[in-house]
Amino acid sequence: MSASRRAFITGISGQDGSYLAEFLLSKGYEVHGMLRRTSHLSRARIDGLCERGAASEGCLQLHYGDMTDSMSLVRLMRDIQPHEVYNLAAQSHVRISFEQPNYTAEVSALGVLGMLDAIREFQHQSGQEVRFYQASSSEMFGNVQESPQRETTPFAPRSPYGVAKLYGHWITVNYRESYGLHASSGILFNHESPRRGENFVTRKVTQAAARIKRGLQKTVTLGNLEARRDWGFAGDFVKAMWCMLQQDKPEDYVIATGSSHSVRELCQIAFEHVGLDYHDYVEHDVRFERPAEVDHLLGDARKAREILGWKPSICFKDLIVMMVESDLKLAAK
Ligand code: NAP
Ligand code: G4F
């Protein structure tokens, strides 16, 4: 691959953005990331990357912009002239989307439209092809119509987030079909890591187990313990994003591990790893439940396996142990 290949990542300060930036840098890309003015609060995930400059690696440049400011997207496309755009920016928290449905729609639905229009405009002006990745979500399956879920499963979202993501998904399909854009959606099931935001359930639990073990916290309060998710490792999932943009033909792919676990099992594994019984520390509060819950998500990633050659490398238990170990180190500081 040419050393001058340029990638533009929105949401670079998030969990996936940081793993994807690392991965693309290791492939020699020139990586450009969009930050919000307030992103300094969450820049920790990418702080080390800006200084890295080994000869075999690409370089990272950060730019200010916002998904709700379409002119900033047009300007960044013109300035960066990327070959690949990874649209990871979103208001990505499902429960918060019930409290801020309008904002969630602006960022996670209309923001996608703004990005696609900025790409079309840039392609038209420059004649340079741009390949586009949209971060779609298994939350779009919501009230699931079949199990496991695959690319052809009908969507039935159960949250303002899921509805916003569905708009982003369909507008990506629409721009591919209408204007011939090389635009692919990854329908990603839950993926986690030590860099996961602290208000998502895996990280909330692994952090609590570590802090309780170290005597820094007494209990943790959760919502629905019976919900089941197909949880994988974020470091694996960003590789699938890249693979999609290397295909001649843009398409949509489910990315999942193919096995699901409950929040209760998550608690059991995390607390057991530090020698504790979760029954003694996990409390319940309806505040952490959703007005409408997605009970069970389970993905079938056969298409990604066959066409992209993608498969997950880490099982659920090892993932949770990895996260607890990382949180034990953080708690020790
Ligand atoms: P995350 O950690 O919450 O990161 C979200 C990113 O979006 C952050 O960099 C955030 O910037 C940025 N952002 C939010 N609002 C923005 C705005 N108005 N303008 C520009 N940037 C904005 O999410 P993630 O877990 O990495 O997920 C990445 C993407 O995949 C998201 O679109 C998410 O919806 C989707 N997805 C995630 C999963 C999963 O399990 N992780 C599964 C399916 C789909 P700040 O740092 O400034 O807040
Ligand atoms: O960790 P969660 O908040 O993830 P959720 O809602 O599945 O959404 C994540 O995955 C989606 C892909 O399916 C992404 F698109 C989305 O951006 C995000 O990354 O909650 C997981 C489950 C839910 O059923 C929730 O009700 O855990 C349950 N839960 C129980 N107690 C809790 C809690 N979730 C959170 N966040 N906090 C709790 O205290």
Side-chain angles (χ1 to χ4, degrees):
M1 191 205 62
S2 146
S4 62
R5 198 133 180 100
R6 280 182 301 281
F8 174 28
I9 305 175
T10 72
I12 194 164
S13 56
Q15 171 187 256
D16 291 7
S18 69
Y19 280 105
L20 180 64
E22 259 172 29
F23 178 70
L24 295 177
L25 287 170
S26 76
K27 289 208 160 289
Y29 276 74
E30 182 180 311
V31 177
H32 295 257
M34 186 172 82
L35 284 181
R36 295 193 280 177
R37 192 182 64 79
T38 49
S39 294
H40 65 278
L41 296 171
S42 50
R43 266 186 66 165
R45 292 184 179 110
I46 50 170
D47 271 349
L49 290 181
C50 302
E51 287 86 46
R52 273 186 15 190
S56 60
E57 292 176 345
C59 61
L60 173 65
Q61 293 176 45
L62 300 172
H63 310 257
Y64 283 112
D66 197 297
M67 294 306 290
T68 60
D69 176 356
S70 57
M71 279 314 293
S72 71
L73 304 178
V74 171
R75 175 178 55 78
L76 288 176
M77 284 302 300
R78 206 175 45 219
D79 292 352
I80 298 167
Q81 308 195 351
H83 302 96
E84 296 174 13
V85 173
Y86 296 86
N87 186 36
L88 308 185
Q91 189 305 91
S92 71
H93 200 281
V94 173
R95 192 178 53 80
I96 292 173
S97 80
F98 286 97
E99 281 153 41
Q100 294 193 283
N102 206 321
Y103 177 70
T104 301
E106 279 175 21
V107 179
S108 311
L110 289 180
V112 186
L113 176 62
M115 192 74 244
L116 287 163
D117 276 335
I119 289 172
R120 274 192 73 209
E121 177 66 17
F122 170 71
Q123 277 197 170
H124 180 69
Q125 297 291 337
S126 67
Q128 178 182 310
E129 189 203 42
V130 180
R131 296 186 171 195
F132 178 72
Y133 171 82
Q134 169 57 17
S136 288
S137 166
S138 54
E139 185 70 14
M140 301 188 308
F141 293 122
N143 188 16
V144 299
Q145 306 293 298
E146 66 175 345
S147 200
Q149 296 84 53
R150 49 197 169 144
E151 291 79 6
T152 50
T153 303
F155 297 117
R158 294 265 286 166
S159 63
Y161 169 82
V163 174
K165 279 285 173 185
L166 195 48
Y167 178 88
H169 181 76
W170 280 124
I171 199 69
T172 300
V173 173
N174 182 257
Y175 271 45
R176 176 170 75 215
E177 292 176 352
S178 307
Y179 307 118
L181 286 190
H182 192 295
S184 298
S185 274
I187 307 174
L188 270 52
F189 282 64
N190 299 49
H191 47 280
E192 320 293 312
S193 73
R195 299 181 200 168
R196 186 54 143 155
E198 294 170 9
N199 58 354
F200 295 92
V201 77
T202 51
R203 185 75 198 288
K204 186 171 170 182
V205 169
T206 61
Q207 192 180 51
R211 287 174 56 82
I212 290 169
K213 178 68 179 174
R214 300 270 189 229
L216 298 170
Q217 187 174 328
K218 289 200 178 340
T219 56
V220 61
T221 308
L222 299 175
N224 179 12
L225 295 190
E226 309 315 326
R228 296 182 74 85
R229 291 289 182 275
D230 180 334
W231 277 296
F233 172 50
D236 287 339
F237 280 45
V238 299
K239 292 179 187 162
M241 300 173 186
W242 176 78
C243 286
M244 287 178 216
L245 298 205
Q246 310 318 306
Q247 304 304 306
D248 290 339
K249 195 164 163 253
E251 287 193 41
D252 306 324
Y253 295 88
V254 160
I255 305 296
T257 70
S259 65
S260 70
H261 301 269
S262 66
V263 175
R264 188 180 293 285
E265 287 170 71
L266 156 69
C267 294
Q268 197 177 347
I269 292 170
F271 280 83
E272 236 171 54
H273 185 66
V274 295
L276 301 175
D277 181 345
Y278 80 93
H279 293 101
D280 299 333
Y281 304 97
V282 173
E283 295 179 346
H284 175 259
D285 192 324
V286 287
R287 275 192 308 129
F288 294 107
E289 291 185 1
R290 284 115 199 239
E293 175 66 291
V294 170
D295 297 321
H296 187 185
L297 291 174
L298 176 66
D300 175 354
R302 193 176 325 173
K303 179 178 173 186
R305 204 164 50 241
E306 285 170 4
I307 300 181
L308 306 178
W310 181 87
K311 60 178 181 351
S313 73
I314 298 179
C315 73
F316 178 63
K317 184 167 184 228
D318 291 351
L319 170 66
I320 299 310
V321 167
M322 178 212 292
M323 292 173 69
V324 174
E325 283 294 324
S326 163
D327 281 323
L328 281 168
K329 288 196 189 101
L330 286 176
K333 287 186 184 162

